[in-house]
Amino acid sequence: MPRRFIALTSLAAGAAIAVTVALATPALAKGTTQASITGPGLARPVTVSAAAGSEALPEQGDALSSLADQTGLFTVLFGPNIGDVYMPDKPSRLRTPPATATLGPKYTVTYTVPGITPAPGQASDQIRQYLYPRAAGGPVIYTLPGQRGFGQPLQATGWLRGTPQLTATLTRLGIPAGASLPSAPSSAASVPAAPAPAAAPKPSDTTAPAWLIATIASAVAIVIAGTALWLWRWKQRRTAGHAPV
């Protein structure tokens, strides 16, 4: 009977590990390997790459990771709760779309993200955002809806307000930031290129934090193992009670 108990315990642990891996896959998916920026004043695209054989992930601090953090790439891929550390350079959602007159020059950043699911008409392994570094009030980022991440739609699309860190990063990369435009009294919305909703959709946070997944999986494993132990002891007592005198 001990062998059966060991087998049941091993099966429970294996099932818990499988559940953890299955639920954590979106949160542990690969990051971006390259960013290409195009726009006015650039004779050729500005390219930022990860180290050979690696990818940029949240909070790593390298040039590509910082750019992705500051444009909200990881937020649109994995949801707003990615990472356990507060990032002062993380962009925030705009309640209303900005007015056209307040945006200024538009730059396009195209991230290469291996393994994402392309939507119809979307290039494989690519996520596209529009950057407005001279927008009134600070830089603005726009993520086009309709793009897909790892087997699901992007977790957040629409307008984000960048921080001064993004302006500094773009300047270091050679993007002519210049002075921000003054605020315009008009509140008319501007939606670039492809048609999009007037207001950015509310992000659906479908990726649970890794620690929560691990806690649930551990609890399941403990319950299953405890049940197996109780059944084994009950069987032992029953067998002893029917033993011949």
Side-chain angles (χ1 to χ4, degrees):
M1 191 64 187
R3 290 182 178 179
R4 182 177 297 178
F5 168 68
I6 293 173
L8 288 173
T9 304
S10 300
L11 180 62
I17 293 173
V19 169
T20 301
V21 171
L23 293 177
T25 296
L28 301 179
K30 289 185 176 181
T32 177
T33 57
Q34 188 177 84
S36 177
I37 304 175
T38 59
L42 299 177
R44 59 181 61 86
V46 173
T47 301
V48 188
S49 300
S54 65
E55 59 276 329
L57 296 170
E59 305 172 23
Q60 283 186 330
D62 59 283
L64 182 56
S65 175
S66 296
L67 179 65
D69 279 331
Q70 293 161 12
T71 64
L73 175 66
F74 301 120
T75 298
V76 304
L77 280 173
F78 306 120
N81 295 328
I82 188 70
D84 297 326
V85 180
Y86 170 73
M87 293 184 292
D89 54 356
K90 185 177 180 179
S92 58
R93 180 170 297 280
L94 285 175
R95 294 182 179 274
T96 58
T100 303
T102 68
L103 290 174
K106 179 181 75 175
Y107 293 83
T108 301
V109 57
T110 303
Y111 289 102
T112 300
V113 185
I116 62 173
T117 306
Q122 175 184 333
S124 177
D125 298 343
Q126 289 188 350
I127 297 292
R128 181 174 297 171
Q129 295 179 303
Y130 296 146
L131 309 179
Y132 300 87
R134 301 186 199 174
V140 171
I141 306 108
Y142 181 81
T143 304
L144 289 83
Q147 302 181 88
R148 294 184 63 82
F150 294 96
Q152 59 185 345
L154 295 183
Q155 299 297 290
T157 58
W159 296 96
L160 296 172
R161 170 70 71 185
T163 65
Q165 286 89 339
L166 175 57
T167 301
T169 296
L170 294 175
T171 301
R172 285 194 299 269
L173 293 175
I175 309 300
S180 296
L181 297 175
S183 298
S186 172
S187 60
S190 168
V191 179
K202 183 179 180 181
S204 55
D205 184 14
T206 58
T207 302
W211 65 266
L212 178 59
I213 297 173
T215 301
I216 295 174
S218 299
V220 171
I222 292 173
V223 170
I224 296 176
T227 302
L229 178 60
W230 181 86
L231 289 173
W232 176 70
R233 288 179 175 174
W234 177 80
K235 182 67 174 180
Q236 289 292 93
R237 289 196 297 269
R238 183 178 179 185
T239 301
H242 290 79
V245 179

